[in-house]
Amino acid sequence: MAPPPLAALRQYASVASPASLPPTVLFGHTDKTLTVYDKYNKSLFHLLVLPRSPALGSEAELESLQTLLKTKDRARDVLAALAESGETARKQIQEEMTERYGWSWGVRMGFHAVPSMLHVHLHVMSDDLLGEAMKNKKHYNSFHPTKGFWLPLEDVQAWLEADDEYYKRMSKLPKAQYEPLLKESLSCFRCDKELKTIPALKTHLQEEWDAKEKRELAKGKKRKAQGAPDGEDDAKKAKAEE
DNA sequence: GTTCTAGAAC
DNA sequence: GTTCTAGAAC
């Protein structure tokens, strides 16, 4: 087995002309950010938004969320750029959901407290956790929305502004505190049910999602029957029910 | 981050 | 006997 491609994201983030990247890698880019497909998707839709170097900082400054947070002003700027591109990606994902599935569901944005690849990357992913590459407890717990290993973008932004003390603590994000979370027992992020194995969890998540899809599609039909226009407000309504 | 696989768990 | 996890990767 080849060594892990720890620096793959850094290479993408430092490329001078993103358009030269293969379409299997590149989702989109701006002067400041580059959005790529996560090669091993843990949800049905899973993208990564990277701050470009040198536009938003040196490779060292952008190595991780931890190094980024050492400089408050830079962190604020980089997070804002990631948020903006993340929002663009979210909209595109939700359009694709409607095309492909006939309805759209939540898309969340956040970071891992302890990253395993070089270069800070914002995950933009649909909230189903039904991706092909979701294979073990570590994967699942790292993306569980409330366990603590997953850091929502808006939380990180709020902490940064809250007070200097919190910002100092954040720039450490100690492994010792976060890594044990990955070994905790498996529980459904929707209904809290405990599952003993990964296959059982996956079956359960699929059932929850199938049921949700059925409700959403039924709602869509009802709206249509009432003569209401579909599309625009579907995403908002779906989100409010999450 | 993944793949592979020994042996634990059932 | 089969499923599943979890640690090694020279």
Side-chain angles (χ1 to χ4, degrees), chain A residues 6-7 17 22 37 43-44 50 77 83 89 91 117 131 138 145 159-162 176 181 190 197 215 217 222 225:
Chain A
L6 291 174
S17 28
Y37 294 96
S43 276
L44 296 177
L50 317 173
D77 291 349
K91 285 176 190 151
M117 283 185 293
K138 186 175 170 180
W159 295 338
L160 188 67
E161 301 303 337
L181 298 173
R190 292 191 195 277
T197 66
R215 290 196 299 274
L217 292 176
K222 199 175 164 191

Side-chain angles (χ1 to χ4, degrees), chain A residues 59-157:
Chain A
E59 289 186 344
E61 286 160 340
L62 300 175
E63 178 169 305
S64 66
L65 189 58
Q66 287 81 345
T67 60
L68 173 67
L69 293 171
K70 283 179 184 164
T71 312
K72 193 166 188 170
D73 288 343
R74 179 186 307 285
R76 187 184 287 123
D77 291 349
V78 170
L79 292 177
L82 296 181
E84 191 182 341
S85 294
E87 199 51 52
T88 302
R90 186 214 298 270
K91 285 176 190 151
Q92 289 176 271
I93 288 172
Q94 288 188 315
E95 282 173 20
E96 181 70 21
M97 287 171 167
T98 305
E99 268 183 44
R100 216 190 287 178
Y101 294 88
W103 65 294
S104 70
W105 56 103
V107 175
R108 54 192 170 96
M109 301 195 265
F111 302 93
H112 274 160
V114 183
S116 40
M117 283 185 293
L118 294 178
H119 207 84
V120 61
H121 47 285
L122 176 72
H123 292 270
V124 179
M125 67 197 304
S126 51
D127 67 3
D128 48 82
L129 297 185
L130 293 175
E132 274 184 11
M134 178 65 80
K135 291 180 177 174
N136 60 43
K137 180 184 272 190
K138 186 175 170 180
H139 293 153
Y140 181 74
N141 283 341
S142 76
F143 287 108
H144 190 293
T146 57
K147 227 168 235 304
F149 196 92
W150 169 262
L151 306 178
L153 170 64
E154 56 270 33
D155 287 2
V156 176
Q157 286 179 306

Side-chain angles (χ1 to χ4, degrees), chain A residues 174-194:
Chain A
K175 279 191 188 184
Q177 180 189 330
Y178 287 99
E179 283 185 335
L181 298 173
L182 301 178
K183 301 195 172 184
E184 286 185 1
S185 56
L186 299 167
S187 65
C188 172
F189 68 91
R190 292 191 195 277
C191 74
D192 287 337
K193 180 177 179 176
E194 293 243 351

